[in-house]
Amino acid sequence: QLQAVESGGGLVQPGGSLRLSCAASGFSLGKHTVGWFRQAPGKEREPVACISNSDGTTDYVDAVKGRFTITRDNAKNTAYLFMDSLKPEDTAVYSCAAGPGGLCSLGATYHYWGQGTQVTVSS
C-alpha cells in the first residue's frame, strides 16, 4: 500500500517542541516533494510546509514561519517537521503527503496521505 506514515505527535506545553516524522511506505520519497498539513477540530485542512526534492528549497505558511522547519532524508525515505515555540493554536492532526517532483508548492495536489498524528499544545 502506497502511503506516508506519520509519527511523533503528543501533548506538549506552550513554548515546547516536537519532531514529527513522515516515513514513505511503498514508494520512494526522493522522487517527490513532501508536504505537511494540519487539521484542527472544526476547521478545514490547511498546508503547513513543503520541501522540494530538486534542491531542498522549502516553503511555509506565515503562521509557522520562524518556528517550524521541514527537512528530508532521502536515504531513510523519511521527512521531518521540527516544531518549536508551539502555541495552543498549533493543536491539530498533522499529516504528510507526497507531491509532484521538482519545486514544492503548498497549493499542489498531494497523494499517498497518511493517517495523521495528533499534536496537542496545552498547559
Side-chain angles (χ1 to χ4, degrees), residues 3-23:
Q3 70 175 114
V5 180
E6 304 91 344
S7 61
L11 173 64
V12 63
Q13 293 186 342
S17 301
L18 280 176
R19 186 190 76 167
L20 305 184
S21 298
C22 171

Side-chain angles (χ1 to χ4, degrees), residues 2-117:
L2 305 179
Q3 70 175 114
V5 180
E6 304 91 344
S7 61
L11 173 64
V12 63
Q13 293 186 342
S17 301
L18 280 176
R19 186 190 76 167
L20 305 184
S21 298
C22 171
S25 177
F27 67 98
S28 175
L29 201 63
K31 296 182 179 180
H32 300 269
T33 58
V34 177
W36 279 99
F37 302 79
R38 66 185 181 185
Q39 186 168 19
K43 295 185 178 181
E44 293 190 354
R45 184 172 61 198
E46 63 175 355
V48 174
C50 68
I51 184 167
S52 305
N53 71 319
S54 55
D55 60 2
T57 56
T58 58
D59 195 11
Y60 301 88
V61 292
D62 288 345
V64 307
K65 283 182 179 178
R67 300 189 298 121
F68 290 12
T69 304
I70 185 172
T71 64
R72 64 191 302 155
D73 185 339
N74 291 336
K76 295 183 178 180
N77 219 22
T78 301
Y80 305 94
L81 185 67
F82 294 84
M83 305 186 295
D84 296 318
S85 302
L86 283 162
K87 305 175 182 180
E89 51 264 44
D90 294 318
T91 295
V93 175
Y94 284 72
S95 301
C96 66
L103 295 177
C104 79
S105 169
L106 294 174
T109 298
Y110 286 80
H111 304 282
Y112 310 146
W113 290 89
Q115 295 297 314
T117 185

